[in-house]
Amino acid sequence: MKRPILIHPDPRLKKACDSVPDLDDELRALADDMLETMYAAPGIGLAAPQVGVLSRLIVLDCVKAEEAAPRPLVMFNPRVTASSELMNVYEEGCLSIPDQYADVERPAEVEVEWTDRDGHLRKEAFGGLWATCVQHEIDHLDGKLFIDYLKPLKRQMITRKMVKLKKERAREKA
Ligand code: NI
């Protein structure tokens, strides 16, 4: 089931999320809903706070080529255990900040540890777009958005646009 995605600014997008203790069917259903929501958007990553759940859960799939097999990843309690000194710049966007993009610099490679959908502890090194995406999503779990890396003026400009967008959408609904 698709879930509505919160749009910035929203206090729930600025909160540090709680660790997930034991996996249960409810959490697995949430992860499945998040993947469905992400693919439908379409997007390459989604964090639980973006659907209003303040738990440490992210989903991602950075396989871009249409003909390639999808690789949906579900990560409970993900954490970066190592980062490369080498940095990389990607133009980032966010499903909670529609149609806004900006360059963000992050470590080019990261090693991430997480608990998968079956409750197994996993560890993997990510590079390229995967590295950027997984860091962007983990940031969400600490209440951090990609626009927090931008200069204040640019961040305020984007936030104002989002306030306007939310007002327009609320008016459409009314
Ligand atoms: Ni995002």
Side-chain angles (χ1 to χ4, degrees):
M1 186 188 70
K2 264 193 338 177
R3 302 200 183 200
I5 298 173
L6 299 182
I7 303 297
H8 165 75
D10 187 296
R12 288 165 287 182
L13 294 173
K14 300 304 293 176
K15 295 238 164 65
C17 298
D18 296 322
S19 293
V20 174
D22 289 308
L23 296 195
D24 55 28
D25 288 346
E26 198 179 323
L27 282 165
R28 272 186 277 266
L30 170 63
D32 295 342
D33 284 356
M34 284 170 57
L35 277 172
E36 193 181 334
T37 305
M38 177 190 84
Y39 283 126
I44 57 171
L46 189 68
Q50 293 181 275
V51 293
V53 179
L54 299 183
S55 296
R56 301 191 79 84
L57 163 61
I58 63 172
V59 299
L60 61 159
D61 183 349
C62 301
V63 174
K64 271 189 157 174
E66 290 268 320
E67 64 280 11
R71 193 195 175 206
L73 282 182
V74 170
M75 299 184 173
F76 292 97
N77 302 323
R79 61 187 189 95
V80 173
T81 49
S83 308
S84 65
E85 271 177 45
L86 183 71
M87 303 293 276
N88 197 1
V89 175
Y90 258 106
E91 188 178 59
E92 296 191 20
C94 181
L95 293 177
S96 292
I97 312 173
D99 301 322
Q100 302 299 316
Y101 303 91
D103 283 347
V104 177
E105 189 182 48
R106 301 180 187 269
E109 282 177 43
V110 287
E111 187 183 75
V112 179
E113 195 178 85
W114 75 93
T115 300
D116 71 13
R117 203 182 172 284
D118 301 318
H120 298 127
L121 196 61
R122 302 263 303 266
K123 192 183 240 187
E124 190 175 323
F126 295 96
L129 182 58
W130 285 90
T132 288
C133 184
V134 76
Q135 291 175 84
H136 172 121
E137 300 311 330
I138 291 174
D139 270 355
H140 272 297
L141 305 181
D142 296 313
K144 194 164 184 183
L145 303 171
F146 82 92
I147 55 171
D148 293 326
Y149 291 92
L150 310 180
K151 293 204 172 77
L153 209 64
K154 172 99 179 170
R155 183 166 60 242
Q156 285 155 17
M157 196 186 77
I158 290 176
T159 299
R160 275 200 299 273
K161 281 187 188 162
M162 292 302 106
V163 169
K164 203 175 148 214
L165 176 73
K166 287 176 81 170
K167 272 188 194 150
E168 281 166 9
R169 286 192 179 179
R171 219 176 291 140
E172 278 165 17
K173 263 192 215 156

